[in-house]
């Protein structure tokens, strides 16, 4: 591990000082450290942000097209009918900051409303936003696009030219639900600071619903969700030289109504040992690695959470079945 003199600087800071090769090495070291920390914890876990390498991002796009995975198409439907109403809440000439952009399908609907003059997609994956930015520049010639590669749960620096523009934020999809509720509050507070006072933040919120619908959404019949979850093990093998046998793990996802969340796990089918970065990790038969939670809220429970973070809910849009909500919040 390369350490700064103070020994406690975050990796982002060290990275800014390094040439590209050393930078890749730091990224790998951080990945290795996170993986070892997760696999030596009890119960075992892995950070979900590592799902999204190139294969993982492609598989997630495929999940969004399965018949069972309703969140993406439901939210798109809401945005298609309500985009101009939502965009009217943005100050004219605003910079729109998107936390965790993937494909720009959703945000394009907001950009089409024509209020925004700059767009800042913030994403942890390096390829996504840069390629998408080129396409956006072609399709929206008057829009300034400033992609930022960063872990948006930490502070990141906004591109200089934005300093004087009014700001608005958007976090579509299930992203807010992937935080623990306490972390979601911390994230909203941090977003409020980045957006400035009295700004509008548009948040996608997946709603509590029938357990059968939720369980199906995370266990599609074609098995794409299973592939997506298991890709994490392939990635660890590929990038960190581990020797996971992914065929001896299976995907598990279920809704826990008490905690109001879908839990995703990788279950070891057998008792086994795996070598990861010079460590031997032991698995009992049926032991799981917890890979992600997806919290489901009601409109009211999410409004309460937002108030806790200093936001005031100003408007909510849902689909007729009440599967998904888009909530507009204003920061204090
Ligand atoms: N953010 C997505 C969600 O919570 C991620 C996701 C969908 C996911 N299906 C998954 C994560 C299966 C792990 C396993 O809906």
């Amino acid at each position: 591990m390369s350490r700064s003199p103070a020994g406690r600087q975050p990796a982002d800071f060290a990275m800014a000082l390094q040439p590209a090769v050393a930078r890749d090495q730091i990224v790998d070291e951080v990945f290795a450290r996170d993986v070892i920390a997760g696999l030596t914890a009890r119960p075992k876990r892995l950070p979900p942000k590592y799902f999204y390498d190139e294969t993982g991002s492609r598989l997630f796009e495929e999940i969004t097209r399965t018949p069972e995975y309703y969140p993406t198409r439901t939210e798109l439907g809401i945005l298609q009918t309500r985009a101009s109403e939502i965009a009217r809440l943005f100050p004219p000439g605003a910079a729109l900051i998107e936390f965790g952009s993937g494909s720009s399908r959703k945000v394009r609907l907001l950009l089409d409303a024509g209020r925004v003059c700059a767009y800042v997609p913030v994403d942890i994956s390096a390829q996504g936003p840069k390629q998408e930015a080129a396409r956006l520049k072609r399709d929206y010639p008057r829009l300034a696009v400033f992609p930022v590669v960063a872990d948006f749960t930490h502070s990141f620096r906004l591109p200089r030219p934005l300093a004087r523009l009014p700001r608005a934020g958007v976090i579509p999809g299930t992203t807010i639900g992937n935080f623990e509720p306490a972390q979601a509050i911390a994230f909203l507070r941090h977003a409020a600071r980045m957006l400035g006072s009295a700004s509008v933040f548009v948040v996608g919120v997946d709603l509590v619903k029938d357990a059968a619908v939720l369980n199906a959404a995370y266990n599609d019949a074609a098995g794409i969700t299973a592939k997506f979850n298991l890709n994490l093990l392939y990635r660890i093998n590929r990038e960190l030289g581990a020797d996971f046998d992914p065929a001896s793990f299976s995907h598990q996802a279920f809704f826990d109504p008490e905690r109001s969340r879908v839990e995703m796990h990788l279950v070891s089918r057998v008792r086994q040992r795996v070598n990861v970065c010079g460590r031997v990790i032991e698995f009992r038969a049926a032991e799981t690695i917890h890979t992600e939670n997806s919290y489901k809220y009601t409109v009211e429970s999410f409004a309460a959470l937002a108030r806790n973070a200093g936001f005031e809910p100003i408007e909510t849009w849902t689909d007729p079945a009440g599967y998904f909500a888009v909530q507009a919040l204003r920061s204090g």
Side-chain angles (χ1 to χ4, degrees):
M1 190 74 226
S2 100
R3 291 222 171 250
S4 59
R8 297 172 43 231
Q9 302 283 3
D12 319 9
F13 178 79
M15 273 166 52
L17 305 175
Q18 303 291 329
V21 177
R23 199 183 156 111
D24 283 352
Q25 204 175 335
I26 292 171
V27 171
D28 274 358
E29 281 171 13
V30 173
F31 183 26
R33 198 185 54 198
D34 288 350
V35 166
I36 293 296
L39 294 179
T40 53
R42 269 161 197 273
K44 292 182 172 65
R45 54 182 151 76
L46 284 169
K49 65 180 175 189
Y50 294 114
F51 278 134
Y52 301 94
D53 66 349
E54 225 179 294
T55 310
S57 303
R58 184 177 50 73
L59 286 168
F60 184 69
E61 283 300 309
E62 270 186 65
I63 289 177
T64 66
R65 289 193 292 268
T66 61
E68 296 93 339
Y69 195 77
Y70 63 84
T72 311
R73 79 175 64 88
T74 308
E75 186 180 30
L76 276 168
I78 297 170
L79 293 175
Q80 260 145 17
T81 48
R82 306 296 196 161
S84 57
E85 239 175 273
I86 297 169
R88 223 175 289 143
L89 299 172
F90 301 154
L96 181 63
I97 302 170
E98 183 178 20
F99 296 85
S101 63
S103 88
S104 58
R105 247 189 312 165
K106 293 169 190 166
V107 82
R108 276 170 183 261
L109 296 167
L110 296 174
L111 297 176
D112 286 339
R115 296 265 300 184
V116 165
C117 81
Y119 169 52
V120 187
V122 185
D123 202 278
I124 186 140
S125 120
Q127 312 102 16
K130 293 258 153 82
Q131 285 171 7
E132 202 66 41
R135 283 191 284 266
L136 280 165
K137 279 186 185 140
R138 187 197 58 203
D139 298 344
Y140 301 85
R142 289 158 45 136
L143 184 73
V145 183
F146 300 99
V148 172
V149 177
D151 176 349
F152 62 80
T153 59
H154 301 302
S155 296
F156 53 89
R157 208 163 293 163
L158 282 176
R160 264 276 178 76
L162 300 185
R164 293 165 165 279
L165 296 180
R167 294 170 201 158
V170 60
I171 181 163
T174 52
T175 305
I176 199 83
N178 295 132
F179 290 105
E180 289 301 307
Q183 286 180 333
I185 292 172
F187 165 75
L188 287 175
R189 289 216 170 99
H190 145 78
R193 277 194 302 274
M194 300 219 50
L195 295 174
S197 60
S199 52
V200 169
F201 196 17
V202 175
V203 185
V205 183
D206 194 18
L207 299 176
V208 179
K209 61 187 62 63
D210 190 58
V213 176
L214 286 167
N215 286 323
Y218 290 86
N219 292 282
D220 67 292
I224 296 160
T225 301
K227 269 197 201 160
F228 172 76
N229 203 359
L230 285 159
N231 176 57
L232 202 44
L233 303 183
Y234 285 98
R235 181 178 184 185
I236 292 169
N237 284 351
R238 208 163 42 234
E239 291 182 27
L240 302 178
D243 64 356
F244 272 105
D245 168 23
S248 68
F249 285 83
S250 41
H251 162 75
Q252 184 189 47
F254 56 88
F255 180 58
D256 176 350
E258 239 149 72
R259 291 163 133 158
S260 200
R261 69 187 195 189
V262 175
E263 291 190 10
M264 271 69 86
H265 296 265
L266 289 163
V267 190
S268 178
R269 299 172 191 263
V270 293
R271 181 171 167 194
Q272 59 179 318
R273 293 200 160 108
V274 181
N275 295 291
V276 188
C277 301
R279 303 264 195 139
V280 179
I281 308 291
E282 310 233 10
F283 287 88
R284 288 174 273 111
E287 185 174 357
T288 84
I289 309 172
H290 192 171
T291 53
E292 185 154 65
N293 292 317
S294 199
Y295 281 85
K296 308 304 171 190
Y297 293 95
T298 62
V299 168
E300 297 73 28
S301 70
F302 188 75
L305 184 142
R307 284 196 187 95
N308 231 312
F311 277 98
E312 193 47 40
I314 46 178
E315 244 173 293
T316 302
W317 300 269
T318 58
D319 55 297
Y323 276 13
F324 198 93
V326 174
Q327 290 187 246
L329 315 174
R330 195 182 302 280
S331 64

